């Protein structure tokens, strides 16, 4: 059981990383980004492109550090993957969402567009890389046996550290910088933010970049923790939304708690039922929250 | 020549089944503004219910490799009816926690239910044979017709008649319903929930009725699919094939217009089947594994294109003017 809780915290950290971007976008562009899972997949595949094709072509072959199954090349690959995914998110905004926004369509129409963007992204991934699953490194995956029956792979420690470094970084940014405050203000009350002179469109662009970059990082970490495959992000969509709803839509702190709870409950559930039911477990948690406390544990930014 | 004819009959029957799905989505989205992106779930529930209700319990050698929870050996129409009822029940269950909340909660809940339903059919082998699914699903009057001298490959024509009949029936019923006071309330809810609420309409009840009605029709569509394909597996009812294609159909044809829903279904199904053939011709053999995804890319881009250039779809909603003006 302790082992499942530990692996749940690792999964939960990955969910959190995706969910903070999703909840931020929810607050600022005011629709559920159904392409968020596929942005994770995109990030994971760009990192795969870097580690498996581009860096080796430059003569940089990854050599594992210590007990890890990967080395510096993998870690450096985070940057281009996050950057490109962030830019892809901005491109989707410019080409699709902004045009719809300018036409003042209902936010739910943007959600349909996001669904289309998700399918376009995934089909491109399928076309370029095929349906098979991939691993980042062929290196040996060592496992540590810890007390209480906990087994931990050194890779998972990196997953945990990277995820939390990014989450803490984002929170510091939101909390301490002027731009971060502007973002939170916009998520909280768009009209008030606009009259206070916050450049809405610029903030929206920034949010897409942050959301895309964070999703990419989450996707890579998920790929390190398990494997890289085209459906990986879509299967995470339900836990992501469940975490966002659990924490209250638009509430960045709520997403943190929601992500961890989701990860732990999903992993612990595998003690009682087949692991393939994990998305269903996320769904049931979500329905329970909707029944008992639809505004989420901490309340949303726009509870309606 | 007969090859082309039977192919056309099969193509039209599938398009007709999708037209029924698209009409059902039109009840949800086009008339009430309910964002259902879990059509695949209702599709699957309908297909499996009808398959289980109409097939006998596997016996003899078959029982060794086919597991199913029950097999009632009932006629086709009982299966279709049961499919509608069970699918409606599922809709009622998820409508209850979500319909009072903001509109995108329903969307997420419908994704959730459709994924969960697929997982259950995939993993619970005792229910409907797991990933292998059910095969040899009965077709209405097939044996009876063949005994009376109909060549077996003409059966598709007969099935096409059944599908078109049901599609027309559903179309007429919906047209009537939507032009009634009940339909006007639905459209008012779509435009602005607060207005019907202030004139004393129970918005939750109307939304629930719309959700359940649409789901019943989706269940019927699922049943028609099961008896047409004669074999169903959980892998058929994916978000792509079960949900996304239907959305493209409705948006292309024109949401809020039942004729548009049908038109969109026939056009998109033609693109879908035609592009499969074309891509096979154009794409080199070594990339043939990727070919299906080119089609997915095209359909996705088509939806974005419609949303950006002609969001009302080909036909758009008909303006309804009061007879008194």
């Amino acid at each position: 059981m302790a082992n499942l809780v530990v692996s749940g915290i690792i999964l939960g950290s990955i969910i959190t990383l995706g969910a903070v971007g999703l909840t931020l976008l929810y607050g600022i562009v005011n629709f559920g980004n159904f392409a968020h899972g596929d942005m994770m997949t995109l990030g994971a595949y760009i990192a795969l492109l870097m580690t498996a094709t581009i860096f080796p072509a430059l003569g940089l072959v990854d050599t594992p550090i210590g007990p890890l199954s990967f080395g510096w090349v993998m870690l450096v690959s985070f940057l281009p993957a996050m950057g490109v995914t962030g830019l892809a998110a901005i491109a989707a905004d410019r080409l699709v969402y902004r045009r719809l926004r300018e036409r003042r369509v209902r936010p739910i129409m943007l959600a349909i567009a996001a669904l289309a963007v998700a399918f376009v992204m995934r089909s491109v991934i399928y076309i370029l890389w095929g349906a098979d699953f991939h691993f980042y490194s062929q290196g040996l995956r060592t496992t540590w046996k810890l007390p209480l029956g906990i087994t931990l792979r050194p890779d998972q420690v990196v997953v945990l550290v990277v995820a939390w470094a990014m989450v803490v970084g984002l929170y510091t940014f939101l909390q301490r910088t002027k731009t971060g405050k502007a973002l939170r203000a916009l998520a909280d009350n768009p009209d008030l933010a606009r009259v206070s002179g916050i450049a809405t469109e610029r903030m929206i662009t920034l949010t897409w970049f942050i959301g895309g970059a964070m999703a990419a990082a989450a996707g890579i970490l998920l790929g390190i923790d398990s494997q890289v495959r085209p459906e990986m992000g879509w299967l995470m969509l339900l836990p992501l939304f469940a975490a966002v709803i659990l924490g209250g839509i638009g509430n960045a702190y709520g997403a943190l708690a929601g992500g961890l709870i989701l990860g732990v409950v999903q992993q612990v559930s595998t003690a009682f039922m087949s692991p393939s039911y994990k998305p269903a477990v996320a769904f049931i948690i979500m329905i329970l929250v909707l029944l008992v406390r639809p505004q989420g544990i901490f309340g949303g930014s726009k509870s309606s | 020549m007969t090859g082309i004819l039977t192919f056309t009959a099969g193509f039209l029957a599938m398009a007709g089944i999708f037209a029924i799905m698209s009409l059902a989505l039109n009840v949800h989205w086009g008339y009430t503004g309910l964002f259902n992106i879990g059509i695949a779930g209702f599709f699957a529930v309908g297909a499996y219910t009808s398959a289980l209700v109409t097939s006998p319990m596997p016996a003899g050698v078959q029982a060794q490799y086919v597991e199913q929870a029950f097999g009632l050996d009932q006629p086709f129409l009982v299966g279709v009816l049961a499919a509608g009822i069970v699918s409606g029940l599922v809709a009622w269950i998820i409508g209850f926690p979500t319909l009072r909340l903001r509109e995108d909660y329903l969307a997420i809940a419908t994704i959730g239910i459709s994924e969960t339903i697929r997982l259950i059919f995939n993993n619970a082998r005792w229910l409907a044979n797991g990933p292998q699914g059910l095969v040899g699903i009965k077709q209405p009057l097939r044996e009876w017709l063949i005994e009376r001298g109909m060549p077996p490959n003409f059966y598709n024509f007969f099935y096409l008649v059944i599908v078109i009949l049901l599609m027309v029936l559903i179309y007429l019923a919906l047209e009537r319903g939507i032009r009634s006071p009940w339909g006007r309330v639905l459209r008012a809810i779509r435009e602005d929930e607060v207005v019907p609420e202030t004139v004393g309409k129970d918005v939750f009840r109307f939304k629930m009725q719309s959700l359940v009605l649409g789901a019943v029709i989706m269940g019927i569509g699922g049943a028609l699919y099961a008896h047409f394909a004669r074999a169903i597996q959980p892998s058929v009812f994916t978000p792509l094939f079960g949900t996304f294609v239907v959305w493209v159909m409705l948006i292309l044809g024109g949401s809020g217009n039942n004729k548009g829903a049908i038109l969109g279904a026939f056009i998109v199904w033609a693109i879908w089947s035609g592009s499969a053939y074309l891509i096979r011709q154009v794409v080199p053999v070594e990339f043939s594994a990727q070919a299906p995804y080119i089609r997915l890319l095209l359909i996705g881009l088509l939806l974005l294109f419609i949303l950006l250039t002609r969001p009302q779809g080909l036909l758009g909603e008909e303006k309804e003017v009061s007879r008194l003006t």
Side-chain angles (χ1 to χ4, degrees):
Chain A
M1 188 57 88
N3 188 34
L4 290 175
V5 172
V6 170
S7 62
I9 290 173
I10 291 162
L11 179 65
S13 309
I14 298 173
I15 295 175
T16 297
L17 199 51
V20 283
L22 183 60
T23 207
L24 211 60
L25 279 168
Y26 228 134
I28 287 176
V29 292
N30 201 21
F31 70 91
N33 178 23
F34 290 106
H36 214 76
D38 290 283
M39 289 198 324
M40 283 175 66
T41 317
L42 183 65
Y45 271 91
I46 293 168
L48 183 70
L49 179 72
M50 301 306 296
T51 55
T53 315
I54 294 183
F55 280 128
L58 297 171
L60 288 166
V61 179
D62 210 9
T63 41
I65 315 169
L68 301 176
S69 72
F70 54 82
W72 288 111
V73 170
M74 176 81 246
L75 293 174
V76 170
S77 300
F78 271 84
L79 295 175
M82 289 170 71
V84 172
T85 311
L87 291 177
I90 294 178
D93 185 53
R94 288 285 150 85
L95 292 171
V96 181
Y97 307 129
R98 189 161 78 176
R99 295 183 185 193
L100 292 173
R101 216 166 34 238
E102 277 163 359
R103 235 180 274 147
R104 304 207 157 271
V105 299
R106 293 161 57 211
I108 204 87
M109 291 301 279
L110 289 147
I112 299 177
L115 200 64
V117 168
F119 278 99
V120 168
M121 276 187 185
R122 204 175 336 147
S123 56
V124 169
I125 289 167
Y126 268 118
I127 291 166
L128 293 179
W129 282 280
D132 296 334
F133 61 86
H134 301 270
F135 291 101
Y136 282 122
S137 63
Q138 308 305 322
L140 223 58
R141 292 189 162 196
T142 34
T143 310
W144 289 330
K145 292 218 185 328
L146 303 177
L148 294 167
I150 298 171
T151 55
L152 193 66
R153 282 185 282 119
D155 291 358
Q156 291 177 311
V157 178
V158 179
V159 169
L160 210 59
V161 171
V162 173
W164 284 98
M166 283 184 191
V167 170
V168 170
L170 179 66
Y171 282 86
T172 319
F173 165 74
L174 287 177
Q175 216 45 257
R176 295 286 162 82
T177 64
K178 212 173 163 193
T179 322
K181 279 184 192 151
L183 273 184
R184 283 189 295 134
L186 188 59
D188 207 42
N189 190 332
D191 296 326
L192 196 59
R194 208 166 286 129
V195 292
S196 336
I198 292 172
T200 318
E201 279 298 320
R202 248 185 38 219
M203 289 298 148
I204 290 177
T205 307
L206 180 67
T207 310
W208 277 110
F209 188 81
I210 296 174
M214 290 277 163
I220 303 170
L221 295 177
L222 187 64
I224 291 176
D225 192 36
S226 51
Q227 75 269 95
V228 180
R229 55 196 180 107
E231 298 273 321
M232 62 192 279
W234 175 259
L235 294 175
M236 289 298 281
L237 198 61
L238 220 46
L240 286 183
F241 271 103
V244 167
I245 291 175
L246 192 61
I249 287 183
N251 183 330
Y253 295 96
L256 202 153
L260 283 178
I261 295 173
L262 252 290
V264 172
V265 176
Q266 276 193 305
Q267 291 296 39
V268 170
S269 76
T270 59
F272 314 102
M273 55 179 114
S274 155
S276 41
Y277 281 121
K278 274 197 256 176
V281 172
F283 171 62
I284 288 164
I285 296 175
M286 194 174 75
I287 291 290
L288 289 178
V289 176
L290 290 182
L291 279 172
V292 180
R293 201 176 154 79
Q295 70 274 42
I297 314 177
F298 303 104
S301 64
K302 270 167 277 183
S303 14
S304 56
Chain B
M1 191 59 204
T2 46
I4 296 171
L5 277 178
T6 47
F7 171 81
T8 312
F11 164 81
L12 289 175
M14 256 329 269
I17 292 168
F18 269 112
I20 290 173
M21 304 304 279
S22 170
L23 281 169
L25 180 63
N26 200 22
V27 176
H28 286 165
W29 171 251
Y31 290 123
T32 327
L34 301 175
F35 193 36
N36 174 4
I37 42 178
I39 304 164
F42 303 105
F43 203 158
V45 165
Y48 271 99
T49 304
S50 190
L52 288 172
V53 166
T54 55
S55 62
M57 204 60 187
V61 193
Q62 221 197 352
Q64 287 169 7
Y65 55 91
V66 177
E67 278 184 53
Q68 58 185 64
F70 57 90
L72 302 180
D73 203 9
Q74 293 297 309
F76 170 73
L77 280 178
V78 177
V80 174
L81 203 68
I85 293 170
V86 176
S87 177
L89 264 173
V90 172
W92 184 78
I93 292 168
I94 62 159
F96 190 69
T98 53
L99 285 180
R100 288 180 212 272
L101 306 169
R102 57 189 266 181
E103 50 190 355
D104 32 9
Y105 283 126
L106 175 72
I108 302 158
T110 51
I111 293 192
I113 193 80
S114 68
E115 291 289 300
T116 305
I117 286 167
R118 193 156 60 96
L119 287 175
I120 292 174
F121 281 121
N122 218 358
N123 290 294
R125 216 177 111 79
W126 57 268
L127 179 63
N129 210 28
Q132 281 84 39
L134 300 170
V135 291
I137 297 164
K138 266 202 302 200
Q139 291 192 307
L141 298 178
R142 186 184 173 92
E143 283 72 31
W144 190 85
L145 284 167
I146 290 172
E147 266 169 35
R148 270 150 197 78
M150 181 198 236
N153 55 355
F154 270 58
Y155 182 79
N156 274 356
F157 288 101
F158 176 70
Y159 200 80
L160 173 64
V161 174
I162 298 179
V163 170
I164 297 297
L165 264 177
L166 268 168
M167 184 190 84
V168 171
L169 253 155
I170 290 170
Y171 168 80
L172 292 175
L174 288 181
E175 279 290 297
R176 213 189 151 96
I178 228 61
R179 284 169 214 290
S180 71
W182 178 78
R184 279 198 292 277
V185 176
L186 290 191
R187 282 189 286 170
I189 291 173
R190 181 192 65 190
E191 295 305 324
D192 188 351
E193 274 187 43
V194 181
V195 177
E197 191 97 65
T198 47
V199 294
K201 301 289 177 193
D202 186 345
V203 168
F204 175 75
R205 250 183 69 189
F206 278 95
K207 278 161 98 177
M208 185 63 105
Q209 287 164 357
S210 160
L211 184 70
V212 171
L213 174 66
V216 167
I217 300 172
M218 285 173 185
I220 292 173
L224 287 174
Y225 173 77
H227 293 280
F228 176 69
R230 307 187 68 193
I232 49 174
Q233 304 92 30
S235 58
V236 173
F237 307 100
T238 55
L240 162 68
F241 181 76
T243 300
F244 191 59
V245 171
V246 182
W247 266 98
V248 182
M249 288 167 174
L250 179 64
I251 302 271
L252 174 77
S255 60
N257 185 323
N258 284 324
K259 288 188 196 77
I262 295 174
L263 178 71
F266 279 83
I267 294 176
V268 172
W269 190 245
I271 298 176
W272 185 256
S273 330
S275 64
Y277 175 77
L278 274 179
I279 290 167
R280 258 202 309 276
Q281 304 292 307
V282 175
V283 175
V285 188
E286 57 266 35
F287 294 111
S288 58
Q290 263 92 333
Y293 305 111
I294 299 176
R295 183 157 72 148
L296 169 56
L297 178 66
L298 291 178
I299 290 283
L301 291 175
L302 175 67
L303 178 56
L304 286 177
F305 181 73
I306 306 162
L307 285 175
L308 288 170
T309 57
R310 202 180 158 82
Q312 73 275 34
L314 289 175
L315 296 187
E317 189 170 3
E318 288 165 30
K319 274 227 171 65
E320 203 174 317
V321 186
S322 165
R323 265 164 293 164
L324 299 175
T325 51

